[in-house]
Structure formats: C-alpha cells, structure tokens
Amino acid sequence: MPPPSGTRAVWLDRGMNVCDRYFKSGAHRTLLPARAQVRMRVITIGIDPHKSSHTASAIDGAGHKTGQRRFVVNAGTFGQLIRWREQWPERRFAIVGAGGLGRTLAQQLAAAGEDVVDVPSTLSARARLLATGGDRKTDPADALHIAQVALFRTDLRKVTPEDQSTILRLLTERHNDLVNERTRAVNRLHAVLRDLLPGGAPTRLSADKAAALMKGIRPVTATDNCRRDIARDLSADLRRLDR
C-alpha cells in the first residue's frame, strides 16, 4: 500500500530521502495487513556457501542489511552460525545451491528446525547483474543478493530434512552402481577369456566358473600370461561383487 498522499507529495519535491525516513519511522506498518507486518519483522539470512568458507548476510523486511559475517568451514562452523543467528528471533535462511554445494549446511539448518529456502544460482546471478550492472563477484555482495532474492520471491523451494525416502534413494543408487559394475566386470572377463580359451567362456559366467576355466589355461606367450593375470583380477572383482 502506498504512503499517505502528503508524504507522496513531499517525496516528489525532496526525493527518496523522505521516503526512506518514512519507512524507517515504522509509520508504514500501521497501513500493512497483519501478515505483511509479520513478514516485515522476519530477518532473511542469505548464505553464499563455498568449500573453504560461508558468507552470510542478514536483511530486514525492507531489504536493509542488518548484519554480515564470514565463517571459515571447519568442525565448529555450524555452531558459530547458530550462535550468530540467535540475535534475530524471527528469521529465515536462503542458501544458493541447497541441493549441491550448500546441501550439508541447508540440511543441518533444516534439521535444527530453521526455515530454509533454496535460491537457484541463476536468480542470484540475475540479482547481481541488476544491482551492479556487471558480473563482478564478491562473497559479501553475493550473500546480500541471495537474501534479497528470497525476500521478494515466494516461489522458492523449501528445504526439508532428509528422511527415510532419502535413505532408500541412496541405497537404490548404490545397488544400481554395483549391478552396473558387475556387468562391466563380466563383459571384460568374457573378452579376456575369449582370447585364452577356444570358443571363449560360457554364458552366465560367475567367479567360480571363471576360476575353474583358468585352471586349464597354459599360457605360451608373455601376452597370454598378462591376459591370465587380468582374468584373475577380474574374477576377484566379480567374487567381491557377488558377496
């Protein structure tokens, strides 16, 4: 909702400074609906995560910066962030790449009961471009832009704590990796045995079948000796995967 007509007229005469004083005075809050007033009190903390450090920038509901800090990544980083954020009882976090480089931090915050949203890197880059008119990157500025994107966008993905479904997905991916690895080992073993045995190895090859076949192999050349050694290694890999 726009400020009163009198303030609007003065703003046209004296510029943006009057408008800034109007918002800083808190007079606009009497004109906002209850939900908007709650949102104005919430501090948004934008975080730009990196391997060696995380930079956090906090802004209020009007977009003004209220705090900024850089955290070196180590065993105590999360505890330091938790203590730093306690100065703002009403808060939410915005992390760029919460599904990638920022996953660990985002999950730690979500598990601690914090409100966390994922800011796509494309949106933070666009905010940086609009703010500076160029592509120059600094961690403090990026953290500020991440917080500003979260303040004005309502369609950002909310980060939820990982649960049993995540465990099932990880186990499924691991099972698929092992199946693919076994298939590659069997195919490679077939190829090596084909050069050592007339007619090659039978289908449905296993580690035990391969070991039995190799007992009858008598290499003649150094190349065949190398092939036999590789076949033994592949057979050992197959035995490990079949456990």
Side-chain angles (χ1 to χ4, degrees), residues 32-227:
L32 295 173
R35 180 177 298 179
Q37 292 184 36
V38 171
R39 184 177 178 183
M40 290 292 292
R41 293 197 302 268
V42 175
I43 296 297
T44 302
I45 303 174
I47 298 180
D48 184 27
H50 293 279
K51 290 183 179 180
S52 59
S53 68
H54 301 326
T55 302
S57 183
I59 61 174
D60 60 18
H64 300 136
K65 185 169 68 175
T66 59
Q68 192 168 75
R69 183 172 172 180
R70 178 178 179 270
F71 300 89
V72 177
V73 175
N74 53 43
T77 301
F78 183 68
Q80 296 172 12
L81 177 60
I82 289 298
R83 289 189 293 272
W84 180 70
R85 64 93 165 95
E86 288 177 352
Q87 57 188 302
W88 301 294
E90 298 181 69
R91 59 188 175 265
R92 63 197 292 254
F93 286 87
I95 301 179
V96 67
L101 187 59
R103 176 192 294 275
T104 300
L105 182 59
Q107 284 299 319
Q108 288 177 326
L109 290 169
E114 297 291 341
D115 184 8
V116 186
V117 294
D118 179 20
V119 176
S121 58
T122 53
L123 290 181
S124 62
R126 188 180 305 168
R128 180 178 68 250
L129 182 63
L130 292 174
T132 64
D135 293 330
R136 185 178 179 183
K137 282 174 58 67
T138 64
D139 292 345
D142 284 349
L144 179 62
H145 296 147
I146 292 165
Q148 291 170 341
V149 169
L151 178 63
F152 296 107
R153 293 291 294 255
T154 60
D155 57 346
L156 299 178
R157 180 182 69 86
K158 183 178 176 62
V159 177
T160 57
E162 294 176 331
D163 53 14
Q164 294 297 321
S165 63
T166 305
I167 296 176
L168 289 175
R169 177 179 58 80
L170 292 173
L171 293 175
T172 300
E173 291 175 355
R174 176 57 177 163
H175 176 266
N176 292 337
D177 289 342
L178 292 175
V179 169
N180 293 333
E181 186 177 349
R182 186 187 188 281
T183 301
R184 288 192 296 269
V186 170
N187 291 340
R188 182 60 182 148
L189 186 55
H190 267 292
V192 175
L193 291 177
R194 182 186 60 216
D195 294 332
L196 291 171
L197 295 170
T203 58
R204 303 183 66 84
L205 188 62
S206 66
D208 291 337
K209 290 181 180 179
L213 290 171
M214 283 187 290
K215 287 180 179 180
I217 296 176
R218 297 293 182 267
V220 177
T221 65
T223 303
D224 284 345
N225 272 308
C226 181
R227 288 192 177 99

